Amino acid sequence: MAPHYETFYSLERTIRRLVSDTLAADDEASEASHGDWWQVKVPDKIRGDVEKRQKKEINSAVTRRSNSPIDFCTFGELSEIITSNWDVFSGMFTSKEAVQRVMANLNGLRGPIAHCAPLAEDEVLRLTLSVRDWFRLMD
């Protein structure tokens, strides 16, 4: 189980960084730069849901996982951020629909991995193929 968790953790961290770095760079390059891509590029609903998660974590008196709001996004929300900013990401990926499909596949695999459920042999293969699919999406 540990290798699957490590694989998914690494992929998820990579995707979070890709989203934040890409949107920050786009915001900096914009003539109308606001200096805060999170406020400008992320849909209102996602920002609201992330704020609730951050407050919940603060109120639980545990160590905060991060100061960055991107780290409080669900995997599905990461997909939505990419697709709602397709003008920024279109040169990076081969197809918007393919991004949605691969992210949905990965999201389906995330639950059992994150909750330490053993993966069936078919699901291990599906994880391997989904990770390959993700990297294949990139131009």
Side-chain angles (χ1 to χ4, degrees), residues 6 8 17 21 24 39 57 59 69 94 99 101 104 113 138:
E6 187 175 341
F8 204 93
R17 181 169 294 135
D21 289 353
Q39 295 298 321
E57 191 167 279
N59 292 336
T94 56
V99 168
R101 185 189 61 76
I113 294 168
M138 296 187 180

Side-chain angles (χ1 to χ4, degrees), residues 72-134:
F72 289 83
C73 288
T74 66
F75 208 71
E77 289 168 341
L78 291 172
S79 177
E80 189 176 336
I81 292 169
I82 291 170
T83 58
S84 67
N85 290 282
W86 191 246
D87 59 316
V88 178
F89 289 97
S90 64
M92 189 177 296
F93 296 108
T94 56
S95 160
K96 184 178 187 177
E97 291 76 16
V99 168
Q100 290 171 317
R101 185 189 61 76
V102 171
M103 292 288 284
N105 287 347
L106 287 166
N107 196 38
L109 290 163
R110 185 185 189 283
I113 294 168
H115 297 284
C116 301
L119 287 181
E121 186 178 325
D122 287 350
E123 301 312 309
V124 171
L125 179 58
R126 197 175 325 277
L127 173 62
T128 301
L129 292 174
S130 293
V131 170
R132 286 181 187 168
D133 288 344
W134 170 257

Side-chain angles (χ1 to χ4, degrees), residues 20-73:
S20 62
D21 289 353
T22 301
L23 292 177
D26 181 69
D27 187 56
E28 287 176 15
S30 169
E31 289 182 26
S33 176
H34 298 25
D36 188 3
W37 65 268
W38 180 258
Q39 295 298 321
V40 177
K41 299 284 188 175
V42 176
D44 293 342
K45 180 169 180 359
I46 294 174
R47 284 197 329 268
D49 290 345
V50 163
E51 188 176 312
K52 288 176 191 172
R53 287 184 208 114
Q54 287 175 309
K55 269 189 182 151
K56 184 177 179 181
E57 191 167 279
I58 289 167
N59 292 336
S60 68
V62 298
T63 304
R64 289 184 72 184
R65 73 182 91 169
S66 171
N67 289 322
S68 176
I70 195 81
D71 292 330
F72 289 83
C73 288

